[in-house]
Amino acid sequence: ARPRVGYYYSGKKPGRVLAEKLHRILVGDVKSVPVVVSEQCTIYDAVVTMFIEDVGTMFVVREGGFLEGVISRKDLLKTTLGGQDIHKLPVGVIMTRMPNIIYAEPDESVWEAARKLIMHEVDALPVVRPVNNENGAADLEVIGRLSKTNVTRLFVELGEGND
Amino acid sequence: ARPRVGYYYSGKKPGRVLAEKLHRILVGDVKSVPVVVSEQCTIYDAVVTMFIEDVGTMFVVREGGFLEGVISRKDLLKTTLGGQDIHKLPVGVIMTRMPNIIYAEPDESVWEAARKLIMHEVDALPVVRPVNNENGAADLEVIGRLSKTNVTRLFVELGEGND
């Protein structure tokens, strides 16, 4: 039978409708601008940058903006507590280094990226674009940041129901 | 309960359906256990507790578990950087103190709490139950924690579409 006006065909539970909607929102639609430092940046300068930019996670890049490492507020707090000379120690010594970095790409769903945040217990992911290098491998150009704040903001926007 | 047929009444845009579903999920359904310290706890001990419990925000309570303050990883990082004696300085000196604390109650929606997280730029809210004291005012008993991690985890669960 054809649906009457005021009804529409579903055959799916509402939870399923919601789930499919969530899967259609892409990382590229909600990502933030990345905050990056170089590997030689001192711990002290990294903390200052983190406060000025007001982020919880920064990415360590080499020339060309390619991903080398990730450094979190938690990593920095552990180091400042340790009594080391934070004016001399570079972030390269304490950062999480490739290939142990979880990242997202702009055309994957925010849902998939959110799942990575939860599964790997990190606050933010670098959003990257793979670029083939002369060795036939891929370098990861950092083009954004996807954090629990982005997911929370999206959750709030979806609850406004304006779309 | 919705009729178990292949059609269901709508008359609403899917975005509206999603929004209403989000508003029905309560803070009490997704909150985590709070991590609390006393006002006399030193900065050093607070950082150690934060690492052991693996949280980004802790609540400062007085006897009875009543809310006095909030302390974040960011507050602690600022203090450890400042070169103060973190083995002597108590958290009471640097915490955000009542009445300047944003909180949530268990029967409000996660959406409303998420909006507070975004609007006030905090990572977590204490979940409290107001208890009238002898002065006719309300003390806030800390009964949980609602963070961007809880919101992100809920977002992931909603995307699984199993409910």
Side-chain angles (χ1 to χ4, degrees):
Chain A
R2 281 186 56 179
R4 288 186 289 142
V5 176
Y7 294 72
Y8 64 88
Y9 182 68
S10 167
K12 300 169 198 161
K13 293 185 195 163
R16 199 66 241 160
V17 175
L18 189 154
E20 286 176 12
K21 185 177 167 69
L22 294 189
H23 284 259
R24 281 195 300 270
I25 304 166
L26 303 183
V27 167
D29 300 332
V30 306
K31 69 177 164 58
S32 295
V33 172
V35 177
V36 302
V37 293
S38 79
E39 202 170 333
Q40 289 74 41
C41 175
T42 65
I43 301 294
Y44 180 86
D45 287 342
V47 175
V48 170
T49 303
M50 190 166 271
F51 274 100
I52 289 172
E53 301 286 347
D54 199 22
V55 291
T57 307
M58 297 192 299
F59 309 121
V60 182
V61 298
R62 65 171 188 278
E63 218 180 303
F66 295 113
L67 186 63
E68 296 272 88
V70 170
I71 189 135
S72 70
R73 205 176 270 158
K74 203 164 146 183
D75 298 327
L76 292 171
L77 183 57
K78 197 182 284 180
T79 309
T80 57
L81 196 71
Q84 299 177 75
D85 187 351
I86 59 172
H87 292 273
K88 287 194 181 143
L89 198 67
V91 292
V93 175
I94 67 157
M95 71 185 188
T96 300
R97 191 177 285 275
M98 285 293 289
N100 301 316
I101 300 173
I102 311 298
Y103 57 85
E105 296 188 35
D107 57 354
E108 76 184 63
S109 71
V110 176
W111 180 78
E112 184 60 43
R115 211 161 66 108
K116 291 179 185 174
L117 291 171
I118 295 298
M119 283 180 62
H120 299 282
E121 299 184 357
V122 291
D123 288 329
L125 303 174
V127 180
V128 303
R129 179 165 43 206
V131 178
N132 288 324
N133 61 28
E134 60 264 39
N135 307 321
D139 287 328
L140 302 176
E141 184 188 354
V142 177
I143 59 168
R145 172 169 58 96
L146 194 284
S147 68
K148 288 175 183 168
T149 303
N150 295 119
V151 177
T152 302
R153 190 178 294 121
L154 173 60
F155 182 90
V156 171
E157 286 169 3
L158 291 171
E160 287 164 353
N162 295 327
D163 56 334
Chain B
R2 271 200 192 84
R4 290 202 161 273
V5 292
Y7 297 76
Y8 65 89
Y9 181 69
S10 167
K12 300 170 199 161
K13 293 185 193 161
R16 200 65 241 161
V17 175
L18 188 154
E20 287 176 12
K21 186 177 166 68
L22 294 188
H23 284 258
R24 281 195 300 271
I25 305 166
L26 303 183
V27 166
D29 300 331
V30 307
K31 68 178 165 57
S32 296
V33 173
V35 177
V36 303
V37 293
S38 80
E39 202 170 332
Q40 290 74 41
C41 175
T42 66
I43 301 293
Y44 180 84
D45 287 341
V47 175
V48 170
T49 303
M50 189 166 271
F51 273 101
I52 289 172
E53 302 285 348
D54 199 22
V55 291
T57 308
M58 298 192 300
F59 308 122
V60 182
V61 298
R62 65 172 188 280
E63 218 179 303
F66 295 113
L67 185 63
E68 296 271 87
V70 170
I71 189 137
S72 70
R73 205 177 271 157
K74 203 164 145 183
D75 297 326
L76 292 171
L77 182 57
K78 198 182 284 181
T79 310
T80 58
L81 196 70
Q84 299 178 77
D85 187 351
I86 59 172
H87 291 273
K88 287 195 181 142
L89 199 66
V91 292
V93 175
I94 67 156
M95 71 185 188
T96 300
R97 191 176 285 274
M98 285 293 288
N100 301 315
I101 301 174
I102 312 299
Y103 57 84
E105 295 189 35
D107 58 354
E108 75 184 64
S109 71
V110 176
W111 180 78
E112 185 59 43
R115 212 162 66 110
K116 291 179 185 173
L117 291 171
I118 295 298
M119 283 180 62
H120 299 281
E121 300 185 354
V122 291
D123 288 329
L125 303 175
V127 180
V128 303
R129 179 164 44 206
V131 178
N132 288 325
N133 60 28
E134 59 265 40
N135 306 321
D139 288 327
L140 302 176
E141 184 188 355
V142 177
I143 59 168
R145 172 169 58 96
L146 193 284
S147 68
K148 288 176 182 168
T149 303
N150 295 118
V151 177
T152 302
R153 191 178 293 121
L154 173 60
F155 182 90
V156 171
E157 286 169 3
L158 290 170
E160 286 164 354
N162 296 328
D163 55 336

